[in-house]
Amino acid sequence: MCNKLIWKPGNLLYPLPVVLVSCGNKETHNLITIAWTGTVCTKPPMLYISVRPERYSYKLIRSNMEFTVHLVDSSLAFAADYCGVCSGENFDKFRALKLTPVDGIQVACPYIQESSLAMECKVVQILELGSHHMFIANVLNTIADEKYFNKKTSKFEIQKAGLISYNNGRYYKHGKFLGTFGYSVKKRK
């Protein structure tokens, strides 16, 4: 039998997705790394990001009420870490990291060309929760790298993108396939 310890309350809901968020507009934009993010709703498609009010990107998101979420694969891991620890208030992170900004389609902020998947979002609600404020947003559209689409089925095969996650101060690349949704109750042949 394993003994249990009563520990302080904390956010230990790991692993978390790692995303890069672009915000601002064509003239003044920034990238911020977010691990406090997730799905809110399927219809309409909605997601959230949580940002501390003292962050430079917070002001850009709050004033423009839009942002773009980019999934992060191992090729963008260095950029994600850098954007999480360096403020872009006085320099251009796109330029510093040699990332390609592309004009947004339905939002003013650019998206990252090198990202396998980007979701342009419009903020519909801000919840001021404490250390972080939650931006709840509608997903306006998704920009996906065609190399991850199965040519036969037209399905987006995100598992081939090598996405990373964040777990208690460390980054990990996604691993082994375990089963599909519902495999636990699927009838055996």
Side-chain angles (χ1 to χ4, degrees):
M1 179 164 170
C2 185
N3 293 328
K4 305 289 184 190
L5 297 175
I6 305 301
W7 199 29
K8 65 180 181 175
N11 294 327
L12 295 174
L13 192 60
Y14 290 113
L16 298 167
V18 177
V19 299
L20 277 165
V21 173
S22 58
C23 53
N25 54 45
K26 223 175 182 178
E27 295 77 38
T28 306
H29 52 265
N30 194 39
L31 294 169
I32 182 174
T33 302
I34 300 286
W36 303 92
T37 185
T39 300
V40 174
C41 189
T42 306
K43 291 182 185 177
M46 297 176 80
L47 58 78
Y48 77 90
I49 62 171
S50 292
V51 184
R52 288 179 300 179
E54 60 270 16
R55 297 293 297 262
Y56 172 62
S57 292
Y58 177 91
K59 297 168 194 75
L60 295 174
I61 296 168
R62 186 115 193 187
S63 66
N64 292 296
M65 297 298 281
E66 58 188 24
F67 55 86
T68 300
V69 172
H70 306 83
L71 298 185
V72 175
D73 62 21
S74 54
S75 73
L76 290 174
F78 180 87
D81 185 64
Y82 183 86
C83 290
V85 295
C86 295
S87 174
E89 191 165 6
N90 299 312
F91 70 99
D92 185 340
K93 289 183 189 178
F94 276 99
R95 186 172 294 130
L97 293 164
K98 296 181 175 68
L99 296 174
T100 311
V102 179
D103 289 346
I105 296 166
Q106 289 188 281
V107 297
C109 60
Y111 68 89
I112 304 168
Q113 175 66 37
E114 292 79 7
S115 178
S116 57
L117 189 124
M119 294 167 278
E120 293 184 327
C121 301
K122 185 75 172 165
V123 176
V124 296
Q125 186 177 6
I126 302 170
L127 298 175
E128 298 182 6
L129 300 172
S131 64
H132 290 68
H133 292 183
M134 180 185 286
F135 292 91
I136 299 173
N138 285 326
V139 178
L140 303 176
N141 72 49
T142 303
I143 305 156
D145 193 329
E146 67 181 345
K147 72 181 178 183
Y148 296 115
F149 281 91
N150 183 306
K151 288 179 180 31
K152 292 179 184 176
T153 64
S154 297
K155 280 189 170 184
F156 186 64
E157 296 179 336
I158 195 70
Q159 73 278 8
K160 293 182 178 178
L163 299 178
I164 66 171
S165 60
Y166 181 79
N167 189 351
N168 202 23
R170 296 179 177 173
Y171 301 102
Y172 295 91
K173 188 174 177 180
H174 282 230
K176 184 177 159 187
F177 171 75
L178 299 176
T180 58
F181 177 77
Y183 82 99
S184 63
V185 296
K186 188 175 182 180
K187 293 185 180 185
R188 310 271 184 239
K189 290 182 182 180

mmCIF file with all atom_site columns, all heavy atoms in Angstrom, residues 153-169:
data_model
loop_
_atom_site.group_PDB
_atom_site.id
_atom_site.type_symbol
_atom_site.label_atom_id
_atom_site.label_alt_id
_atom_site.label_comp_id
_atom_site.label_asym_id
_atom_site.label_entity_id
_atom_site.label_seq_id
_atom_site.pdbx_PDB_ins_code
_atom_site.Cartn_x
_atom_site.Cartn_y
_atom_site.Cartn_z
_atom_site.occupancy
_atom_site.B_iso_or_equiv
_atom_site.pdbx_formal_charge
_atom_site.auth_seq_id
_atom_site.auth_comp_id
_atom_site.auth_asym_id
_atom_site.auth_atom_id
_atom_site.pdbx_PDB_model_num
ATOM 1   N N   . THR A 1 153 ? -7.811  10.599 -46.559 1.00 0.00 ? 153 THR A N   1
ATOM 2   C CA  . THR A 1 153 ? -8.977  10.802 -45.695 1.00 0.00 ? 153 THR A CA  1
ATOM 3   C C   . THR A 1 153 ? -9.299  12.276 -45.449 1.00 0.00 ? 153 THR A C   1
ATOM 4   O O   . THR A 1 153 ? -10.353 12.582 -44.902 1.00 0.00 ? 153 THR A O   1
ATOM 5   C CB  . THR A 1 153 ? -8.751  10.145 -44.318 1.00 0.00 ? 153 THR A CB  1
ATOM 6   O OG1 . THR A 1 153 ? -7.658  10.814 -43.671 1.00 0.00 ? 153 THR A OG1 1
ATOM 7   C CG2 . THR A 1 153 ? -8.460  8.660  -44.451 1.00 0.00 ? 153 THR A CG2 1
ATOM 8   N N   . SER A 1 154 ? -8.375  13.165 -45.816 1.00 0.00 ? 154 SER A N   1
ATOM 9   C CA  . SER A 1 154 ? -8.492  14.614 -45.556 1.00 0.00 ? 154 SER A CA  1
ATOM 10  C C   . SER A 1 154 ? -8.496  14.945 -44.062 1.00 0.00 ? 154 SER A C   1
ATOM 11  O O   . SER A 1 154 ? -8.822  16.062 -43.687 1.00 0.00 ? 154 SER A O   1
ATOM 12  C CB  . SER A 1 154 ? -9.748  15.199 -46.218 1.00 0.00 ? 154 SER A CB  1
ATOM 13  O OG  . SER A 1 154 ? -9.649  15.063 -47.609 1.00 0.00 ? 154 SER A OG  1
ATOM 14  N N   . LYS A 1 155 ? -8.157  13.989 -43.206 1.00 0.00 ? 155 LYS A N   1
ATOM 15  C CA  . LYS A 1 155 ? -8.082  14.243 -41.764 1.00 0.00 ? 155 LYS A CA  1
ATOM 16  C C   . LYS A 1 155 ? -6.787  14.960 -41.433 1.00 0.00 ? 155 LYS A C   1
ATOM 17  O O   . LYS A 1 155 ? -5.745  14.695 -42.026 1.00 0.00 ? 155 LYS A O   1
ATOM 18  C CB  . LYS A 1 155 ? -8.139  12.938 -40.966 1.00 0.00 ? 155 LYS A CB  1
ATOM 19  C CG  . LYS A 1 155 ? -9.508  12.377 -40.802 1.00 0.00 ? 155 LYS A CG  1
ATOM 20  C CD  . LYS A 1 155 ? -9.468  11.226 -39.820 1.00 0.00 ? 155 LYS A CD  1
ATOM 21  C CE  . LYS A 1 155 ? -10.866 10.804 -39.465 1.00 0.00 ? 155 LYS A CE  1
ATOM 22  N NZ  . LYS A 1 155 ? -10.844 9.748  -38.454 1.00 0.00 ? 155 LYS A NZ  1
ATOM 23  N N   . PHE A 1 156 ? -6.872  15.855 -40.457 1.00 0.00 ? 156 PHE A N   1
ATOM 24  C CA  . PHE A 1 156 ? -5.686  16.543 -39.959 1.00 0.00 ? 156 PHE A CA  1
ATOM 25  C C   . PHE A 1 156 ? -5.036  15.621 -38.939 1.00 0.00 ? 156 PHE A C   1
ATOM 26  O O   . PHE A 1 156 ? -5.631  15.304 -37.913 1.00 0.00 ? 156 PHE A O   1
ATOM 27  C CB  . PHE A 1 156 ? -6.065  17.882 -39.332 1.00 0.00 ? 156 PHE A CB  1
ATOM 28  C CG  . PHE A 1 156 ? -4.882  18.717 -38.925 1.00 0.00 ? 156 PHE A CG  1
ATOM 29  C CD1 . PHE A 1 156 ? -3.986  19.189 -39.867 1.00 0.00 ? 156 PHE A CD1 1
ATOM 30  C CD2 . PHE A 1 156 ? -4.665  19.039 -37.603 1.00 0.00 ? 156 PHE A CD2 1
ATOM 31  C CE1 . PHE A 1 156 ? -2.895  19.960 -39.496 1.00 0.00 ? 156 PHE A CE1 1
ATOM 32  C CE2 . PHE A 1 156 ? -3.579  19.809 -37.217 1.00 0.00 ? 156 PHE A CE2 1
ATOM 33  C CZ  . PHE A 1 156 ? -2.692  20.267 -38.177 1.00 0.00 ? 156 PHE A CZ  1
ATOM 34  N N   . GLU A 1 157 ? -3.831  15.169 -39.208 1.00 0.00 ? 157 GLU A N   1
ATOM 35  C CA  . GLU A 1 157 ? -3.135  14.208 -38.356 1.00 0.00 ? 157 GLU A CA  1
ATOM 36  C C   . GLU A 1 157 ? -2.140  14.932 -37.453 1.00 0.00 ? 157 GLU A C   1
ATOM 37  O O   . GLU A 1 157 ? -0.928  14.857 -37.619 1.00 0.00 ? 157 GLU A O   1
ATOM 38  C CB  . GLU A 1 157 ? -2.462  13.139 -39.217 1.00 0.00 ? 157 GLU A CB  1
ATOM 39  C CG  . GLU A 1 157 ? -3.475  12.320 -39.990 1.00 0.00 ? 157 GLU A CG  1
ATOM 40  C CD  . GLU A 1 157 ? -2.867  11.256 -40.883 1.00 0.00 ? 157 GLU A CD  1
ATOM 41  O OE1 . GLU A 1 157 ? -1.697  11.388 -41.286 1.00 0.00 ? 157 GLU A OE1 1
ATOM 42  O OE2 . GLU A 1 157 ? -3.585  10.278 -41.164 1.00 0.00 ? 157 GLU A OE2 1
ATOM 43  N N   . ILE A 1 158 ? -2.698  15.608 -36.457 1.00 0.00 ? 158 ILE A N   1
ATOM 44  C CA  . ILE A 1 158 ? -1.913  16.435 -35.546 1.00 0.00 ? 158 ILE A CA  1
ATOM 45  C C   . ILE A 1 158 ? -0.869  15.623 -34.782 1.00 0.00 ? 158 ILE A C   1
ATOM 46  O O   . ILE A 1 158 ? 0.177   16.155 -34.401 1.00 0.00 ? 158 ILE A O   1
ATOM 47  C CB  . ILE A 1 158 ? -2.847  17.219 -34.592 1.00 0.00 ? 158 ILE A CB  1
ATOM 48  C CG1 . ILE A 1 158 ? -2.099  18.335 -33.890 1.00 0.00 ? 158 ILE A CG1 1
ATOM 49  C CG2 . ILE A 1 158 ? -3.504  16.292 -33.595 1.00 0.00 ? 158 ILE A CG2 1
ATOM 50  C CD1 . ILE A 1 158 ? -1.696  19.470 -34.774 1.00 0.00 ? 158 ILE A CD1 1
ATOM 51  N N   . GLN A 1 159 ? -1.124  14.343 -34.588 1.00 0.00 ? 159 GLN A N   1
ATOM 52  C CA  . GLN A 1 159 ? -0.180  13.495 -33.848 1.00 0.00 ? 159 GLN A CA  1
ATOM 53  C C   . GLN A 1 159 ? 1.166   13.401 -34.554 1.00 0.00 ? 159 GLN A C   1
ATOM 54  O O   . GLN A 1 159 ? 2.178   13.086 -33.925 1.00 0.00 ? 159 GLN A O   1
ATOM 55  C CB  . GLN A 1 159 ? -0.777  12.102 -33.608 1.00 0.00 ? 159 GLN A CB  1
ATOM 56  C CG  . GLN A 1 159 ? -0.855  11.211 -34.827 1.00 0.00 ? 159 GLN A CG  1
ATOM 57  C CD  . GLN A 1 159 ? -2.056  11.462 -35.725 1.00 0.00 ? 159 GLN A CD  1
ATOM 58  O OE1 . GLN A 1 159 ? -2.806  12.418 -35.547 1.00 0.00 ? 159 GLN A OE1 1
ATOM 59  N NE2 . GLN A 1 159 ? -2.241  10.593 -36.706 1.00 0.00 ? 159 GLN A NE2 1
ATOM 60  N N   . LYS A 1 160 ? 1.227   13.717 -35.831 1.00 0.00 ? 160 LYS A N   1
ATOM 61  C CA  . LYS A 1 160 ? 2.483   13.663 -36.584 1.00 0.00 ? 160 LYS A CA  1
ATOM 62  C C   . LYS A 1 160 ? 3.302   14.942 -36.432 1.00 0.00 ? 160 LYS A C   1
ATOM 63  O O   . LYS A 1 160 ? 4.426   15.012 -36.907 1.00 0.00 ? 160 LYS A O   1
ATOM 64  C CB  . LYS A 1 160 ? 2.198   13.392 -38.056 1.00 0.00 ? 160 LYS A CB  1
ATOM 65  C CG  . LYS A 1 160 ? 1.639   12.002 -38.296 1.00 0.00 ? 160 LYS A CG  1
ATOM 66  C CD  . LYS A 1 160 ? 1.406   11.737 -39.758 1.00 0.00 ? 160 LYS A CD  1
ATOM 67  C CE  . LYS A 1 160 ? 0.889   10.323 -39.960 1.00 0.00 ? 160 LYS A CE  1
ATOM 68  N NZ  . LYS A 1 160 ? 0.603   10.067 -41.374 1.00 0.00 ? 160 LYS A NZ  1
ATOM 69  N N   . ALA A 1 161 ? 2.741   15.948 -35.777 1.00 0.00 ? 161 ALA A N   1
ATOM 70  C CA  . ALA A 1 161 ? 3.411   17.250 -35.665 1.00 0.00 ? 161 ALA A CA  1
ATOM 71  C C   . ALA A 1 161 ? 4.482   17.279 -34.574 1.00 0.00 ? 161 ALA A C   1
ATOM 72  O O   . ALA A 1 161 ? 5.258   18.216 -34.515 1.00 0.00 ? 161 ALA A O   1
ATOM 73  C CB  . ALA A 1 161 ? 2.381   18.341 -35.422 1.00 0.00 ? 161 ALA A CB  1
ATOM 74  N N   . GLY A 1 162 ? 4.530   16.292 -33.706 1.00 0.00 ? 162 GLY A N   1
ATOM 75  C CA  . GLY A 1 162 ? 5.543   16.286 -32.647 1.00 0.00 ? 162 GLY A CA  1
ATOM 76  C C   . GLY A 1 162 ? 5.355   17.411 -31.639 1.00 0.00 ? 162 GLY A C   1
ATOM 77  O O   . GLY A 1 162 ? 6.307   18.053 -31.221 1.00 0.00 ? 162 GLY A O   1
ATOM 78  N N   . LEU A 1 163 ? 4.106   17.648 -31.253 1.00 0.00 ? 163 LEU A N   1
ATOM 79  C CA  . LEU A 1 163 ? 3.809   18.730 -30.320 1.00 0.00 ? 163 LEU A CA  1
ATOM 80  C C   . LEU A 1 163 ? 4.462   18.497 -28.968 1.00 0.00 ? 163 LEU A C   1
ATOM 81  O O   . LEU A 1 163 ? 4.731   17.355 -28.586 1.00 0.00 ? 163 LEU A O   1
ATOM 82  C CB  . LEU A 1 163 ? 2.294   18.877 -30.147 1.00 0.00 ? 163 LEU A CB  1
ATOM 83  C CG  . LEU A 1 163 ? 1.537   19.208 -31.421 1.00 0.00 ? 163 LEU A CG  1
ATOM 84  C CD1 . LEU A 1 163 ? 0.046   19.275 -31.136 1.00 0.00 ? 163 LEU A CD1 1
ATOM 85  C CD2 . LEU A 1 163 ? 2.028   20.505 -32.027 1.00 0.00 ? 163 LEU A CD2 1
ATOM 86  N N   . ILE A 1 164 ? 4.690   19.595 -28.255 1.00 0.00 ? 164 ILE A N   1
ATOM 87  C CA  . ILE A 1 164 ? 5.297   19.488 -26.933 1.00 0.00 ? 164 ILE A CA  1
ATOM 88  C C   . ILE A 1 164 ? 4.288   19.867 -25.864 1.00 0.00 ? 164 ILE A C   1
ATOM 89  O O   . ILE A 1 164 ? 3.293   20.539 -26.139 1.00 0.00 ? 164 ILE A O   1
ATOM 90  C CB  . ILE A 1 164 ? 6.582   20.332 -26.809 1.00 0.00 ? 164 ILE A CB  1
ATOM 91  C CG1 . ILE A 1 164 ? 6.290   21.831 -26.909 1.00 0.00 ? 164 ILE A CG1 1
ATOM 92  C CG2 . ILE A 1 164 ? 7.616   19.907 -27.845 1.00 0.00 ? 164 ILE A CG2 1
ATOM 93  C CD1 . ILE A 1 164 ? 7.489   22.714 -26.568 1.00 0.00 ? 164 ILE A CD1 1
ATOM 94  N N   . SER A 1 165 ? 4.566   19.430 -24.658 1.00 0.00 ? 165 SER A N   1
ATOM 95  C CA  . SER A 1 165 ? 3.752   19.797 -23.502 1.00 0.00 ? 165 SER A CA  1
ATOM 96  C C   . SER A 1 165 ? 4.681   20.277 -22.391 1.00 0.00 ? 165 SER A C   1
ATOM 97  O O   . SER A 1 165 ? 5.894   20.086 -22.444 1.00 0.00 ? 165 SER A O   1
ATOM 98  C CB  . SER A 1 165 ? 2.899   18.613 -23.036 1.00 0.00 ? 165 SER A CB  1
ATOM 99  O OG  . SER A 1 165 ? 3.713   17.526 -22.674 1.00 0.00 ? 165 SER A OG  1
ATOM 100 N N   . TYR A 1 166 ? 4.074   20.899 -21.401 1.00 0.00 ? 166 TYR A N   1
ATOM 101 C CA  . TYR A 1 166 ? 4.797   21.449 -20.262 1.00 0.00 ? 166 TYR A CA  1
ATOM 102 C C   . TYR A 1 166 ? 4.380   20.674 -19.032 1.00 0.00 ? 166 TYR A C   1
ATOM 103 O O   . TYR A 1 166 ? 3.192   20.450 -18.800 1.00 0.00 ? 166 TYR A O   1
ATOM 104 C CB  . TYR A 1 166 ? 4.432   22.927 -20.110 1.00 0.00 ? 166 TYR A CB  1
ATOM 105 C CG  . TYR A 1 166 ? 5.124   23.636 -18.978 1.00 0.00 ? 166 TYR A CG  1
ATOM 106 C CD1 . TYR A 1 166 ? 6.434   24.078 -19.110 1.00 0.00 ? 166 TYR A CD1 1
ATOM 107 C CD2 . TYR A 1 166 ? 4.456   23.877 -17.782 1.00 0.00 ? 166 TYR A CD2 1
ATOM 108 C CE1 . TYR A 1 166 ? 7.069   24.751 -18.077 1.00 0.00 ? 166 TYR A CE1 1
ATOM 109 C CE2 . TYR A 1 166 ? 5.083   24.554 -16.750 1.00 0.00 ? 166 TYR A CE2 1
ATOM 110 C CZ  . TYR A 1 166 ? 6.387   24.981 -16.900 1.00 0.00 ? 166 TYR A CZ  1
ATOM 111 O OH  . TYR A 1 166 ? 7.011   25.642 -15.873 1.00 0.00 ? 166 TYR A OH  1
ATOM 112 N N   . ASN A 1 167 ? 5.363   20.235 -18.250 1.00 0.00 ? 167 ASN A N   1
ATOM 113 C CA  . ASN A 1 167 ? 5.066   19.440 -17.071 1.00 0.00 ? 167 ASN A CA  1
ATOM 114 C C   . ASN A 1 167 ? 5.993   19.857 -15.933 1.00 0.00 ? 167 ASN A C   1
ATOM 115 O O   . ASN A 1 167 ? 7.160   19.483 -15.914 1.00 0.00 ? 167 ASN A O   1
ATOM 116 C CB  . ASN A 1 167 ? 5.252   17.950 -17.402 1.00 0.00 ? 167 ASN A CB  1
ATOM 117 C CG  . ASN A 1 167 ? 4.765   17.042 -16.314 1.00 0.00 ? 167 ASN A CG  1
ATOM 118 O OD1 . ASN A 1 167 ? 4.428   17.480 -15.217 1.00 0.00 ? 167 ASN A OD1 1
ATOM 119 N ND2 . ASN A 1 167 ? 4.738   15.762 -16.593 1.00 0.00 ? 167 ASN A ND2 1
ATOM 120 N N   . ASN A 1 168 ? 5.456   20.668 -15.029 1.00 0.00 ? 168 ASN A N   1
ATOM 121 C CA  . ASN A 1 168 ? 6.173   21.052 -13.814 1.00 0.00 ? 168 ASN A CA  1
ATOM 122 C C   . ASN A 1 168 ? 7.578   21.602 -14.103 1.00 0.00 ? 168 ASN A C   1
ATOM 123 O O   . ASN A 1 168 ? 8.562   21.154 -13.537 1.00 0.00 ? 168 ASN A O   1
ATOM 124 C CB  . ASN A 1 168 ? 6.235   19.857 -12.859 1.00 0.00 ? 168 ASN A CB  1
ATOM 125 C CG  . ASN A 1 168 ? 6.458   20.279 -11.423 1.00 0.00 ? 168 ASN A CG  1
ATOM 126 O OD1 . ASN A 1 168 ? 6.160   21.402 -11.050 1.00 0.00 ? 168 ASN A OD1 1
ATOM 127 N ND2 . ASN A 1 168 ? 6.974   19.371 -10.619 1.00 0.00 ? 168 ASN A ND2 1
ATOM 128 N N   . GLY A 1 169 ? 7.647   22.593 -15.001 1.00 0.00 ? 169 GLY A N   1
ATOM 129 C CA  . GLY A 1 169 ? 8.913   23.249 -15.292 1.00 0.00 ? 169 GLY A CA  1
ATOM 130 C C   . GLY A 1 169 ? 9.738   22.622 -16.399 1.00 0.00 ? 169 GLY A C   1
ATOM 131 O O   . GLY A 1 169 ? 10.850  23.064 -16.678 1.00 0.00 ? 169 GLY A O   1
#
